Amino acid sequence: MDLHIHSAYSSDGEIPVAGIAERCAASGTAIFSLTDHNCVRGLDEAAGCASKAGLGFVPGIEVDCNFEGTDLHLLGYGIDWRSRDFASLEEDVAAKVTEAFGETIRRLRKLGFAVDGAAVLAAAGGKLPTLELVAEVMLSDAAYDTPLLAPYREGGARGMPYINFYLDYGAQGRPAFVPVDFMDYRDAVAVIRDNGGVPVVAHPGLNFRGRERVAERLLDFGAEGLEVFNNYHDTTQIGYFAPLVQRRGALMTCGSDFHGKTKPLIGIGQFRFDDRFESYLRASAARLPVLP
């Protein structure tokens, strides 16, 4: 089971939907959810591919939002993906991210990177530009070489260079971060619920590291569960989130957050897990709407 997978429809995804279904089947992942960033355009195809492959499928989305000043991701499971609400959501996020991109490039150049915004947009091929793509463009052309890129080159200290470049420079609080006015967390919960979905907070320990107790408030304000098992939570965080979910009678979910080349060390169906909670995880999965 893997309830957090991105396809090429995500701005930072790589693998087409059909390839996602093939990888799920090959890895023995019997149930999966496609959760592209602010986008549902791959769900029709994913449902069809899952049916042909004999896989269980949970239609999903991952929504960018903000809770009291902290950006986070909210997963929506079992949504009515044909609702106009999700097309409007994608359009709104795209406009805001595009508007912020120029300032991102200016900040990177001020830091000493010889990045060309036009080249990044060309490489994006109509998708939204990301910090991961900025890194890929710079690392692929000697014209952009600078000592600042040394940690991200082969053999450098920062394995998985594209995502680590984002985490080092573009994540909230980092030197090239440009705030984007994402919707309020409570509004994101409402959009998912209003369209028949189940809101679950993705990797809360990544967004609230050192402030894990915020997760209880996220449950208070509408989340029906937490993604407890992923590739970001350490054993201490799992040991906090799993009992919290159980105590609250909330959903416990799992997901790899697979993207492809952006996170090359992450495979479908692979995430940190504690088998003491296997029965509760399976019971939680049984509460999600799985399409046969």
Side-chain angles (χ1 to χ4, degrees):
M1 177 168 53
D2 190 337
L3 301 176
H4 191 163
I5 297 174
H6 295 272
S7 76
Y9 282 105
S10 281
S11 55
D12 54 357
E14 177 194 15
I15 308 300
V17 171
I20 295 294
E22 291 171 1
R23 291 182 183 220
C24 286
S27 66
T29 303
I31 299 173
F32 77 99
S33 181
L34 190 69
T35 54
D36 283 318
H37 293 296
N38 309 296
C39 175
V40 297
R41 286 180 286 126
L43 295 184
D44 269 321
E45 183 181 356
C49 289
S51 179
K52 289 179 182 178
L55 302 172
F57 177 65
V58 180
I61 190 172
E62 186 174 28
V63 178
D64 281 285
C65 55
N66 185 283
F67 182 74
E68 298 180 353
T70 299
D71 290 341
L72 73 155
H73 293 162
L74 186 67
L75 297 160
Y77 294 122
I79 54 172
D80 173 10
W81 69 85
R82 297 178 179 88
S83 168
R84 175 63 194 171
D85 287 348
F86 296 113
S88 297
L89 167 65
E90 183 177 13
E91 292 165 4
D92 180 65
V93 171
K96 291 175 178 177
V97 170
T98 300
E99 182 180 4
F101 179 66
E103 178 60 23
T104 299
I105 294 299
R106 283 190 288 274
R107 294 188 184 194
L108 286 170
R109 293 183 69 86
K110 187 175 181 179
L111 289 166
F113 292 100
V115 59
D116 181 353
V120 176
L121 289 173
K127 295 170 67 172
L128 291 179
T130 65
L131 264 290
E132 294 92 334
L133 183 60
V134 169
E136 183 178 357
V137 168
M138 290 193 297
L139 290 168
S140 66
D141 190 332
Y144 305 118
D145 195 27
T146 167
L148 290 169
L149 289 175
Y152 308 97
R153 297 200 178 280
E154 187 173 354
R158 299 296 277 155
M160 294 206 300
Y162 304 153
I163 184 60
N164 279 323
F165 182 83
Y166 160 75
L167 292 173
D168 293 344
Y169 288 97
Q172 191 168 19
R174 307 307 295 172
F177 170 74
V178 177
V180 174
D181 184 24
F182 293 123
M183 73 166 63
D184 184 81
Y185 165 77
R186 299 163 184 81
D187 293 331
V189 168
V191 167
I192 290 168
R193 283 187 162 176
D194 288 350
N195 288 285
V198 179
V200 172
V201 180
H203 43 65
L206 176 64
N207 301 86
F208 295 97
R209 188 169 297 279
R211 297 184 293 140
E212 285 80 5
R213 291 186 180 278
V214 173
E216 186 132 21
R217 298 187 62 214
L218 297 175
L219 292 170
D220 290 340
F221 285 110
E224 295 183 38
L226 304 177
E227 183 187 75
V228 173
F229 303 110
N230 51 51
N231 286 292
Y232 311 108
H233 291 170
D234 57 30
T235 54
T236 300
Q237 290 175 315
I238 290 172
Y240 175 76
F241 291 127
L244 168 61
V245 165
Q246 289 179 312
R247 187 171 69 250
R248 296 287 298 259
L251 293 170
M252 178 185 295
T253 70
C254 59
S256 64
D257 198 11
F258 174 84
H259 281 72
K261 65 183 178 182
T262 299
K263 301 178 181 181
L265 300 182
I266 292 178
I268 284 175
Q270 299 175 0
F271 44 81
R272 292 192 183 97
F273 183 64
D274 185 330
D275 58 13
R276 291 179 299 168
F277 304 102
E278 182 173 2
S279 62
Y280 194 93
L281 175 65
R282 292 191 179 279
S284 293
R287 292 162 59 186
L288 294 175
V290 180
L291 303 181

